[in-house]
């Protein structure tokens, strides 16, 4: 087993050095497809576990994309709220609470 993994690592390294990263990526994808196909045909428990892990990874990827989208929407909403919401509304509320003559509040009565 150790010899096989050593040969596999040496072959991957040789493929990377002599053919480049794209060839190594293609070889890994082809090997993965072959292994998955064999696991599906055999109906093994390993395939069942791998399928559950792949489903979980897919859901995690979808969650990550949605989380990024929600963060971008929250940032846009915060900017919009600052420009058109809280800034003007607070200024109008303060003016309303001060009344018709806002300067009269700051002049003490004699």
């Amino acid at each position: 087993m150790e010899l096989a993994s050593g040969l596999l690592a040496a072959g991957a390294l040789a493929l990377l050095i002599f053919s480049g990263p794209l060839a190594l990526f293609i070889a890994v994808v082809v090997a993965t497809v072959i292994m998955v196909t064999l696991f599906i045909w055999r109906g093994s428990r390993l395939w069942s576990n791998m399928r559950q892990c792949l489903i979980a990874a897919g859901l995690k990827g979808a969650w990550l994309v949605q989380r990024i989208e929600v963060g971008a929407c929250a940032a846009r909403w915060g900017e919009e709220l600052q420009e058109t919401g809280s800034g003007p509304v607070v200024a109008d509320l303060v003016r309303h609470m001060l009344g018709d003559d806002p300067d009269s509040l700051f002049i003490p009565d004699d």
Side-chain angles (χ1 to χ4, degrees), residues 66-87:
Q66 290 173 353
R67 181 67 184 107
I68 291 170
E69 182 181 350
V70 165
C73 287
R76 283 194 308 267
W77 180 72
E79 291 171 0
E80 180 73 21
L81 182 64
Q82 186 65 32
E83 291 173 7
T84 62
S86 58

